[in-house]
Amino acid sequence: MKNPLSSKYSEEKNKALVSRIREQGDRTAMDELIHLHQPFIYNVAWKMTRDHNDAMDLTQDTLLIIITKLSQFNFNSSFRTWLYRIVVNEFLQKERKKKAVHYNSFEDYGNLLDSIPNAELSIEEKISYKELTEEMRFGCMMGMLMCLTKEQRLIYILGDTFGINHNLGGDIFEITPQNFRIKLHRARKDLYNFMNKKCGLVNKDNPCRCPKKTKTLEQNGALDSQNMVFNVKFKNKVADYVEEHVEQADESFDEQYTSLYRDHPFKEDFDKETVMTKILNNVDLMRHFQ
């Protein structure tokens, strides 16, 4: 199956799968459809919630809604747009059982970071803390996303991290491409202003340094190299998954901070028992297509 964000993505293939599911209750076709779209849905959910379990729950719930609504797809529009419009509505409207951590403001998050002392590290410690520092960096940047409103966060994740162009973004959010561009611009500006003032990765004049914070957090028990959540060595990164868009690069305040988010891990391999089998073995769901 082709990457649904790729220019090689086939609408015809998706529509053929939908027809087989609707007309024949074809489990293989449903399996293929889920395989194609689950990675993108999960990875957006992961960035939205900052929690693997919540992301898996949200992905599963969203896929179930999509499958049960297949009969409503009229084949006159883009299936990808129709599907991701459901994803966006589900992500924006549904409250999770375990609410995602949300900081009241970038100021609050900045104060939290400032409260963590920058420990001094030897050359040997810089090397030994390399992997845990990556964990700190991924977690911290995902924390920054939590300072945005839910809509801003989703628009930024889709528009900049995954590089969805403004026409597709507008279709998914059911707004004009210009309105999507404006909303994305505001989210970028809020995120960039904070990172430019606080983050040493973006502005070398800032005192905040991931390795130094990492050592302090590890000593305090807040980070554990044996139980990392974000730096889990998935095979691919977001940048390997998305396609670049010229319009996105031209409008970025600073391509450096955008590339930092695209450097985050991207999960593609999923345990069938957690999502696929539950959907395919849902008797009521499969009866719906028979």
Side-chain angles (χ1 to χ4, degrees), residues 11-244:
E11 276 291 329
E12 291 72 21
K13 176 67 172 178
N14 271 262
K15 290 178 179 180
L17 291 175
V18 173
S19 294
R20 285 165 54 192
I21 296 169
R22 284 169 49 166
E23 296 170 9
Q24 305 167 29
D26 192 325
R27 292 167 61 99
T28 301
M30 190 180 293
D31 192 4
E32 286 188 57
L33 195 69
I34 293 171
H35 263 303
L36 174 62
H37 296 284
Q38 181 179 347
F40 176 71
I41 295 171
Y42 168 82
N43 283 280
V44 172
W46 192 27
K47 287 187 174 294
M48 282 291 292
T49 63
R50 205 186 177 208
D51 181 271
H52 166 71
N53 291 326
D54 268 359
M56 286 300 293
D57 287 346
L58 187 53
T59 300
Q60 181 173 283
D61 292 349
T62 303
L63 284 169
L64 281 168
I65 291 172
I66 289 168
I67 295 301
T68 56
K69 287 188 175 182
L70 282 180
S71 60
Q72 299 176 18
F73 178 63
N74 60 19
F75 289 91
N76 294 322
S77 60
S78 161
F79 176 76
R80 179 177 59 181
T81 300
W82 176 85
L83 184 149
Y84 291 133
R85 190 175 290 158
I86 293 175
V87 172
V88 165
N89 289 335
E90 179 71 3
F91 282 21
L92 290 178
Q93 295 176 12
K94 192 161 187 177
E95 292 295 331
R96 306 315 308 149
K97 295 176 183 177
K98 175 185 175 184
K99 289 190 176 181
V101 176
H102 185 274
Y103 300 98
N104 293 326
S105 66
F106 281 107
E107 182 179 2
D108 289 343
Y109 192 60
N111 290 336
L112 175 62
L113 293 177
D114 289 342
S115 70
I116 304 170
N118 280 327
E120 293 302 319
L121 285 84
S122 65
I123 295 176
E124 292 77 12
E125 285 178 320
K126 288 181 181 179
I127 296 173
S128 67
Y129 276 109
K130 181 179 178 181
E131 294 300 322
L132 201 56
T133 295
E134 285 291 280
E135 172 78 357
M136 164 68 189
R137 178 167 71 89
F138 293 145
C140 183
M141 291 181 65
M142 291 177 82
M144 294 175 195
L145 289 177
M146 304 307 289
C147 297
L148 297 169
T149 66
K150 191 183 287 188
E151 183 188 59
Q152 280 186 313
R153 200 183 320 150
L154 188 51
I155 285 177
Y156 180 78
I157 291 168
L158 294 179
D160 262 10
T161 306
F162 285 95
I164 286 178
N165 66 48
H166 299 148
N167 290 323
L168 179 56
D171 286 342
I172 291 173
F173 281 86
E174 298 184 271
I175 57 179
T176 66
Q178 176 65 17
N179 200 0
F180 181 83
R181 185 180 293 110
I182 291 171
K183 289 175 179 288
L184 176 57
H185 174 87
R186 289 171 180 164
R188 285 175 178 165
K189 186 176 180 181
D190 288 348
L191 191 60
Y192 171 76
N193 285 344
F194 176 78
M195 295 185 74
N196 194 47
K197 291 177 182 177
K198 283 289 180 185
C199 182
L201 295 171
V202 172
N203 186 342
K204 300 302 182 184
D205 292 333
N206 292 325
C208 191
R209 292 291 183 273
C210 294
K212 295 182 177 181
K213 301 288 188 189
T214 298
K215 181 177 179 179
T216 299
L217 291 173
E218 193 266 345
Q219 290 176 336
N220 293 340
L223 283 176
D224 182 357
S225 60
Q226 301 303 312
N227 294 288
M228 291 193 285
V229 176
F230 304 108
N231 185 24
V232 288
K233 295 302 179 187
F234 293 146
K235 294 180 181 179
N236 297 323
K237 297 181 179 180
V238 174
D240 300 323
Y241 187 77
V242 305
E243 290 192 336
E244 297 295 330

